[in-house]
Amino acid sequence: MIDPISLLIGAGLVGGGWALGRFGSRPAKKPAVATALCGCGHDLAVHDRESGQCHGETFRNTGVGIKAWVPCNCRRYTGPTPLEEFFTPPVLPPNP
């Protein structure tokens, strides 16, 4: 036979846990970090600095029910310009 006081204590613990989970405070969501993306959906790190060609890959349909990774056909980075190109000169080799 189960003691009725133990049942009341267990029911109180379950009810209290439910109430805390339902109405308690939740951790604040971290703000999303804004990344500079090109029109193709890749960021600046995937594009070549000199030629501007994208080295990323995209997942596309290549046939009936067939999907594969294919190279991105982006030829030039079209996203926002990084700040370091405005404020610092490009690194040059030392003069002899």
Side-chain angles (χ1 to χ4, degrees):
M1 179 156 280
I2 300 175
D3 184 23
I5 296 176
S6 298
L7 287 175
L8 290 175
I9 292 173
L13 288 173
V14 169
W18 177 82
L20 279 174
R22 179 82 171 126
F23 302 112
S25 64
R26 295 185 177 158
K29 292 183 179 179
K30 295 180 183 175
V33 178
T35 58
L37 295 179
C38 178
C40 66
H42 296 114
D43 61 354
L44 180 61
V46 183
H47 291 80
D48 189 14
R49 287 274 186 174
E50 285 78 31
S51 67
Q53 184 175 4
C54 183
H55 297 291
E57 294 181 337
T58 55
F59 198 61
R60 293 192 183 151
N61 290 334
T62 57
V64 178
I66 301 171
K67 294 183 178 183
W69 288 101
V70 294
C72 184
N73 56 3
C74 177
R75 299 288 178 236
R76 183 174 58 93
Y77 177 73
T78 58
T81 306
L83 288 177
E84 65 260 7
E85 291 183 11
F86 288 121
F87 296 115
T88 58
V91 178
L92 301 175
N95 292 334

